[in-house]
Amino acid sequence: MQTIDNYNFSNKKAIVRVDFNVPLDKTTLEVTDNTRITAAIPTIKKILKDGGAVVLISHLGRPSGGYEDKFSLKHIVSAVESALGQQVIFAGDCVGKSAFEITSNAKPGDVILLENLRFYKQETSGDDTFTKQLAKHGDVYVNDAFGTAHRAHASTTVLAKYFPNDKMFGYLIAKEIKSVDKVLNSQQKPLTAIVGGAKVSSKITIITQLLDKVDYLIIGGGMAYTFVKAQGGNVGNSLVEDDYLSTALDIMKKAEAKGVQLLLPVDTLIADSFSNDAAIKTCAIDAVPDGWLGLDIASSSIELFRKAILASKLILWNGPMGVFEMENFQQGTIAIAQAIVEATENGAFSLVGGGDSVAAINKFNLADKVSHVSTGGGAMLEYLEGVTLPGIAAILE
Ligand code: AMP
């Protein structure tokens, strides 16, 4: 298989699908978090170092299918320039005469950024005529946008077929794939998955998939109360999905049958309202008084989870342990993040993936102390669930 490392980009024009879907300040339209931009830099630099030119393509936001100033990638040009340390040529269209004029004149060392792909509806529909146009911008296709790898869009999937002998993953996707494979397919043990977040319903597929792999399954966050209620516990006004009580019992039974140690919280920090200013106290997880709701795990649960995490060689974390957005309910999530960091320092491999656990680890400034933080929210979840991502399959085909 072609990899970015064994490919020589000398005198080539590389179309690089990046994920520059970055947050912008609503008023100034300046980039407020450049994580995704800096993450793409190693791939761009490798191509430039070989003596190639780079044509960056990306989407930004969800425009309704035509030009919208607030979704223009022109707003991110200076952020890309600072991250890269060189000038970036911006083309105000991704297809069309002006864009082709720029890319056809590209010289080795040039970095060109094309305008938002989603200004054309054909991007998301995966239109073939549009894709063929995009393909004309270069002689090699590099996909480095893991966050959109679960979408069969023109730039993320269809484009690959126009480069049957010149297509590959960028460093970012390659690392994402390697990290998930390491967690799910390595023989190292114990493997612990920590699943939290709001709802059982949104995590059921991933939990089911993980039951075949893990030694410990730690369940925290809002979804834990559905498990507690299913066993007859009192959860007061805590978040519960009544439609999923039997699913929760089913998961517990399956875990037992497969020899998976399922760990649920034993105590909880409860509040008399869903607010940072609410009155708070601690109680047993199955004895939440009426009118109170559990918003974080408490000290005995932290200890229980910590022990399992510290005993693990492979760790996967998806979803916070409590309402970490509020200061009074972030301790459980912080403690779990710290335990993962400690285990990593002791030699475990740790992967933090999917939505809010990534936000949490960033918030607590611990992202560089775990083995890998995934950039692809939905894509990461689908990949963990065992789904073949079209963007990945298109490169491997
Ligand atoms: P998810 O996107 O499913 O990972 O859910 C993340 C959300 O779950 C975060 O916004 C948390 O605030 C929320 N969450 C975590 N624990 C609780 C809880 N005990 N009650 C309500 N929401 C929670």
Side-chain angles (χ1 to χ4, degrees), residues 225 228 234-235 265-270 282-289 298 301:
Y225 303 94
V228 174
N234 290 326
V235 295
V266 288
D267 56 359
T268 172
L269 182 62
I270 55 174
T282 302
C283 71
I285 192 83
D286 57 356
V288 180
S301 311

Side-chain angles (χ1 to χ4, degrees), residues 196-199 202-203 221-222 225 239 274 294-296 319-325 356:
K199 292 179 172 175
S202 61
K203 303 280 165 86
Y225 303 94
L239 187 67
F274 190 83
L295 295 181
D296 198 4
M321 296 291 103
V323 185
F324 74 99
E325 296 93 335
D356 275 328

Side-chain angles (χ1 to χ4, degrees), residues 78-91:
S78 60
V80 181
E81 287 178 333
S82 328
L84 198 57
Q86 78 164 65
Q87 197 212 343
V88 170
I89 304 159
F90 180 68

Side-chain angles (χ1 to χ4, degrees), residues 13-20 37 40-41 43-45 47-48 53-59 73 76-77 80-81 84 86-91 93-94 103 110-117 134 137 142 144 155 159:
K13 259 177 245 174
I15 303 176
V16 186
R17 178 39 159 118
V18 287
D19 182 3
F20 283 174
I37 294 175
I41 299 301
T43 292
I44 301 172
K45 288 223 159 127
I47 297 165
L48 297 177
V54 176
V55 180
L56 298 168
I57 56 173
S58 178
H59 76 285
L73 281 169
I76 76 156
V77 172
V80 181
E81 287 178 333
L84 198 57
Q86 78 164 65
Q87 197 212 343
V88 170
I89 304 159
F90 180 68
D93 200 352
C94 63
T103 54
D110 283 352
V111 177
I112 295 156
L113 173 64
L114 302 186
E115 181 58 286
N116 194 344
L117 297 160
L134 280 182
H137 285 299
V142 181
D144 213 12
S155 68
L159 195 49

Side-chain angles (χ1 to χ4, degrees), residues 122-127 148-158 390-391:
Q122 295 93 318
E123 158 65 1
T124 43
S125 67
D127 180 82
T148 47
H150 58 323
R151 308 275 182 228
H153 294 171
S155 68
T156 61
T157 301
V158 192

